Amino acid sequence: MCRSIKTLRPPALAEEATEEEIRAAALQYVRKVSGFRAPAAHNREVFERAVQAVAEATAELLGGLEVRGQPARSAG
């Protein structure tokens, strides 16, 4: 998998991941899966929708994870 995607949950991060960190991870994922660093104009819309969908799924995942010794966070 893409090595530039970092773990976004405690204890890897001291605090909750920011929207920017989640979006950056989503962007790296979509780039890796699609094989495009930046999409051509005719693929830009679908590329951006994919980044948004992955970011939303990531936020939901992080919000629902239970990390030992820490309460679950609410997805937001």
Side-chain angles (χ1 to χ4, degrees), residues 27-75:
L27 178 60
Q28 288 300 322
Y29 175 81
V30 172
R31 284 176 172 169
K32 183 68 170 187
V33 170
S34 70
F36 296 113
R37 180 169 175 1
H42 63 278
N43 287 325
R44 190 167 294 127
E45 186 179 330
V46 71
F47 190 90
E48 284 302 319
R49 281 197 318 260
V51 171
Q52 183 63 34
V54 171
E56 289 171 4
T58 301
E60 182 179 340
L61 170 68
L62 293 173
L65 286 176
E66 292 182 33
V67 179
R68 244 179 230 189
Q70 297 184 343
R73 299 181 307 221
S74 61

Side-chain angles (χ1 to χ4, degrees), residues 1-7 24-25 28-29 31-33:
M1 197 57 215
C2 192
R3 294 179 185 192
S4 60
I5 298 174
K6 65 181 182 176
T7 302
Q28 288 300 322
Y29 175 81
R31 284 176 172 169
K32 183 68 170 187
V33 170

